């Protein structure tokens, strides 16, 4: 499993309880088609659609992926930055 697939699967697992199985099947489809970068893009689009804040670790891992085809790295970070701010809950 490469880093893109790892991030896509982690994003899918994070979103599943928040949006339901029907939504995350789109990420699964991208992963199963061998396009984990598209899965990350889909996951961030789902988060945007539902107004879900994502933990900063996702942004860090996207940056670590480096240059992606079709300037997707730039688009992903712009879309990520447009998400609501993530606030850590106190335990």
């Amino acid at each position: 499993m490469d880093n893109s697939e790892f991030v896509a699967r982690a994003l899918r697992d994070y979103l599943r309880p928040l949006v339901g199985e029907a939504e995350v099947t789109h990420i699964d489809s991208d992963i199963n088609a061998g396009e984990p970068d598209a899965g990350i893009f889909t996951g961030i689009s789902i988060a945007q659609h539902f107004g879900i804040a994502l933990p900063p670790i996702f942004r860090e891992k996207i940056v670590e992926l480096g240059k992606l085809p079709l300037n997707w790295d730039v688009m992903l970070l712009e879309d990520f930055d447009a998400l609501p701010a993530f606030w850590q809950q106190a335990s």
Side-chain angles (χ1 to χ4, degrees), residues 18-29:
L18 301 173
V19 300
E21 189 66 35
E23 295 296 330
V24 296
T25 56
H26 300 293
I27 300 171
D28 285 328
S29 296

Side-chain angles (χ1 to χ4, degrees), residues 41 62 66-81:
F41 200 78
I62 291 169
K67 186 82 173 139
L68 298 176
L70 303 173
N71 284 335
W72 277 20
D73 50 329
V74 174
M75 290 187 296
L76 285 171
L77 293 176
E78 287 173 356
D79 288 349
F80 191 95
D81 292 341

Side-chain angles (χ1 to χ4, degrees), residues 2-5 32-33 39-40 51 58 62-63 66 70 74 79 88:
D2 67 359
N3 289 339
S4 293
E5 185 175 348
N32 292 334
I40 297 169
F58 285 110
I62 291 169
V63 168
L70 303 173
V74 174
D79 288 349
Q88 181 86 23

Side-chain angles (χ1 to χ4, degrees), residues 37-60:
D37 297 337
I40 297 169
F41 200 78
T42 300
I44 292 177
S45 296
I46 291 169
Q48 279 184 324
H49 177 75
F50 287 97
I52 297 171
L54 296 176
I57 188 70
F58 285 110
R59 188 181 199 290
E60 293 169 20

